[in-house]
Structure formats: structure tokens, C-alpha cells
Amino acid sequence: MASAKRKPAKSRRCKLESPGWNEKTRRALERLIDRGAGKNLPVVFDFDNTLVCGDVQEATLAVLARSGRLTAARLPETLSPSFRLPGKGLVTLQSGADLTEYYEAFLAPTAHGDRDPTPLANGYAWAVEVLEHLRVSEVVAATREACEFARAPHDGFIEVTPGKTRFPAPRFYPEMVELVAELIRHRFDVWIISASNVWSVRWMVQHELNPRLRQHGLKQGLRADHVIGISTLLTDRSGRLYKDALLVRNDPGYAALDEKTLRSFRLTSRLQFPVPTYSGKIACIFDAIGDRPYLCAGDSPGDHPMLVYSRHRLWIARLEKPGYQKKLAQLIRKTGSAGWMIQAARTRGEIGFVSAPAPVA
Ligand SMILES: [Mg+2]
């Protein structure tokens, strides 16, 4: 008897069910995913304050600074120029409670004027350059420690100098985990392009994101070589220099963050280019993906170039950053509102996505 031909199973439509989604954004994302499904279209996420609440680079820096593994005294003098800031006077590496105070000031080194479209770029690079001489294994160990602060009995903050400097421990937004899961399930090519150091982001993907994706029923999570961040040239005992972009493809132990392998590489002071901040993120997309993304997601002016470059855009509007929302409104006036999806998020107090429309104006 001839067997009846089976109809191919109809692929499941995208459904985003987490409660924090804004209704309009949720429906727009579902439609977008259904429309692009099965074509391996590239989708690019920023990491800090887009996929997670908090900043993994700052949290890692905070852990290293509070434990004394990273101090002003061990940094080369030329790395941290003194500079004057309006209302703050002279900022020097030694003038703050600890080096994270210098970092925060250095995030706006040109604040004496109001025309700098890329104020954060040098601060982001500095936060990785200060890790010079550390082993990659020490960087990921600090990230692991930073993530512990997100769990009880801690209060979610990493205090560097008591009463003066503290940073939130990063934690994934459940809605974004669900979105990544749906994108992978519907056969999109998902990437992360971050201005944090690449090893910390990769550790969080392997140990915090991928287990959550498995809970969503996925067999495979995000691949190590689909995580791009700031890195330096690396050196090993034989004195060779290496680039992260090559190691992650050619050395399975390195890609898997194997402790013994990571112990054999130390960071140098020299950055790998292009550096993924602002338009550098487009340069990274060009080099690694070679195609215009179908969808990009981001939360800060450092993401504006790649968002504009992308065919569709998801903006995570942090309610505590009205300045960012004002800049976004200016950008939308230039690009037109087509392709923009906006999702509000609270990053202090009761953190998480807020389903009410975001105040972008
Ligand atoms: Mg961000």
C-alpha cells in the first residue's frame, strides 16, 4: 500500500508572550519574525542595557577594582590623561575614590562643548585597555564574580568604594531572551556586537544566556564567534600576538572559554580594530557579516549608526536616560519613523520592561 504523502508541518508562528512587552512593539516584532523566517537573515543586538539590564564591562571593572586586582598605580601613566571638566575641575586618575570615578568622567571627556557626536568612544576603549597584562581567564573570572552579585544574598550592586562608587550586576531581560529564542527558532542569524570586552560578553552568553535559551526549548544557543566586542591583541608564552576574531574560529578551547586555554593568553595594550562603538559597529558588521542587518536592537547613541544602517530597529528606551530619548527623537526626525519599534525599560528600582509606551520626545 502506497504511503500517504505527508504535508510538511506548518512552521509555528512567532509568539512573544512575556508580560513586559509593549503591545505595539510585540506585534510588530512578531510580524517581522514571521515575514523574515527561514532565510538566515542577520540580526544584531547590542549587549549592555539592551539584552541585559546593566553593563558587563563596568561590572567586571568594578569587581577587579574592589578586589585590588586593578589599581591606578599599576596603569601606565600615558593611558589616562588628566583633563578639565565643567563643574568638576581637574580630573586625574588619582583624584577619585577609585579608578571607576575616572572612567565615569572619561565617558564625557569633551563635555566642555556640546558638539561631540561620539563622546563615549574613548571611555569604552579605556575600560578595556586598563586590563592590559591580565590573563583572559582573570577577566572572565571577574565577570563570573560580577554575575554572582545579581543573586541573593547580594542586593544586585557591586560596591567599589563604600558609599561612593557602585555598579549594578548585569542580568538578562526575560523578554529579550524570549526574542533571541524566537529569532533562532525561526532561523535568523543572530549576532551580538558590544562595546564591552568580548570575553565578558562571551562568558555571559555561554553561562547565562544559552542555558536560558535551552529552557525555551532550543538545542543550540548563540555561537561564540557570533559575539563581537572590544578586544586587544593577545600574547602567549611564546611571544606571539593573536587576534580574538581569528582565535575564536580556529581554537575550539578558546571559543569554549576553556580555563586552561584562557590562562595562556594575556591582554596587551593594543586594540583590535575596528573597535565596536558608534560607526565602528557598522564596520564590524561589514567585516563579520558582510550584509545589512534585517533587524538591529540597541539602547544608546553608540548604537545609532547600526540602527540607522539596519532595515528594522528595536530601541530599548531606558526611562532613567531622558537625554538618550531626546537624541533618539532627533534621529527619528531625520530617518522618518518607518522601521522603528520602541520598548521602555526601567533600569533602577523595580528593573525590567515596562509595557506602557516609552516617552521618546
Ligand atoms: Mg547598550
Side-chain angles (χ1 to χ4, degrees), residues 46-50 54-55 124 281 298-300 303 318:
D46 165 55
F47 189 72
D48 302 299
N49 286 306
T50 293
D55 185 306
Y124 287 160
K281 289 201 173 191
D299 75 289
S300 88
D303 302 315
R318 294 161 66 184

Side-chain angles (χ1 to χ4, degrees), residues 315-330:
W315 177 256
I316 308 303
R318 294 161 66 184
L319 297 176
E320 295 79 10
K321 290 274 189 187
Y324 281 13
Q325 311 325 321
K326 212 169 143 192
K327 281 209 172 80
L328 180 75
Q330 288 165 1

Side-chain angles (χ1 to χ4, degrees), residues 329-351:
Q330 288 165 1
L331 185 66
I332 291 179
R333 276 198 287 279
K334 272 196 227 157
T335 63
S337 58
W340 283 100
M341 293 162 283
I342 297 174
Q343 172 66 48
R346 198 177 290 116
T347 55
R348 288 195 205 131
E350 200 63 32
I351 65 166

Side-chain angles (χ1 to χ4, degrees), residues 28-285:
L29 282 167
E30 286 174 348
R31 272 199 305 271
L32 201 67
I33 291 174
D34 286 337
R35 237 182 13 244
K39 300 175 199 160
N40 210 36
L41 293 171
V43 174
V44 178
F45 287 88
D46 165 55
F47 189 72
D48 302 299
N49 286 306
T50 293
L51 285 174
V52 295
C53 180
D55 185 306
V56 71
Q57 180 65 42
E58 292 176 357
T60 302
L61 209 59
V63 164
L64 291 167
R66 80 196 289 272
S67 66
R69 277 168 279 173
L70 199 60
T71 59
R74 71 180 282 288
L75 300 184
E77 237 174 81
T78 49
L79 187 59
S80 317
S82 303
F83 59 105
R84 288 192 182 280
L85 269 188
K88 278 203 170 170
L90 188 68
V91 178
T92 73
L93 186 59
Q94 287 78 19
S95 62
D98 57 70
L99 53 73
T100 65
E101 251 189 50
Y102 178 88
Y103 160 73
E104 295 216 295
F106 199 48
L107 284 175
T110 53
H112 49 82
D114 60 0
R115 299 269 167 96
D116 185 357
T118 62
L120 303 168
N122 283 86
Y124 287 160
W126 182 90
V128 181
E129 289 170 318
V130 294
L131 307 178
E132 180 187 4
H133 300 314
L134 289 180
R135 294 172 198 271
V136 177
S137 54
E138 293 175 285
V139 177
V140 300
T143 304
R144 182 186 303 127
E145 208 177 314
C147 287
E148 286 305 315
F149 283 86
R151 301 184 237 283
H154 301 284
D155 65 355
F157 284 91
I158 305 159
E159 199 161 46
V160 184
T161 303
K164 294 208 165 147
T165 47
R166 65 175 198 162
F167 296 86
R171 51 182 98 193
F172 278 92
Y173 288 123
E175 289 81 1
M176 291 306 259
V177 174
E178 178 186 43
L179 176 60
V180 171
E182 283 299 279
L183 285 163
I184 294 177
R185 198 193 318 281
H186 288 84
R187 307 252 178 88
F188 288 85
D189 187 26
V190 177
W191 294 75
I192 293 173
I193 300 190
S194 167
S196 280
N197 84 73
V198 71
W199 309 284
S200 293
V201 180
R202 219 171 261 149
W203 188 89
M204 286 207 67
V205 166
Q206 193 182 101
H207 292 271
E208 301 275 334
L209 175 62
N210 284 349
R212 287 171 171 82
L213 292 176
R214 282 195 284 275
Q215 286 168 10
H216 278 272
L218 292 185
K219 285 203 183 75
Q220 254 192 335
L222 211 68
R223 277 170 34 194
D225 65 358
H226 277 43
V227 178
I228 294 172
I230 299 186
S231 65
T232 68
L233 291 180
L234 297 173
T235 185
D236 67 0
R237 282 184 210 97
S238 68
R240 290 185 187 152
L241 290 175
Y242 298 86
K243 287 184 182 174
D244 173 77
L246 301 173
L247 278 177
V248 75
R249 285 187 179 82
N250 301 329
D251 185 334
Y254 179 87
L257 303 176
D258 167 63
E259 154 81 21
K260 193 164 163 253
T261 309
L262 296 194
R263 233 186 296 142
S264 66
F265 292 107
R266 283 184 190 273
L267 281 73
T268 69
S269 66
R270 304 291 89 189
L271 294 171
Q272 184 190 306
F273 295 98
V275 173
T277 61
Y278 296 98
S279 54
K281 289 201 173 191
I282 298 183
C284 289
I285 290 170

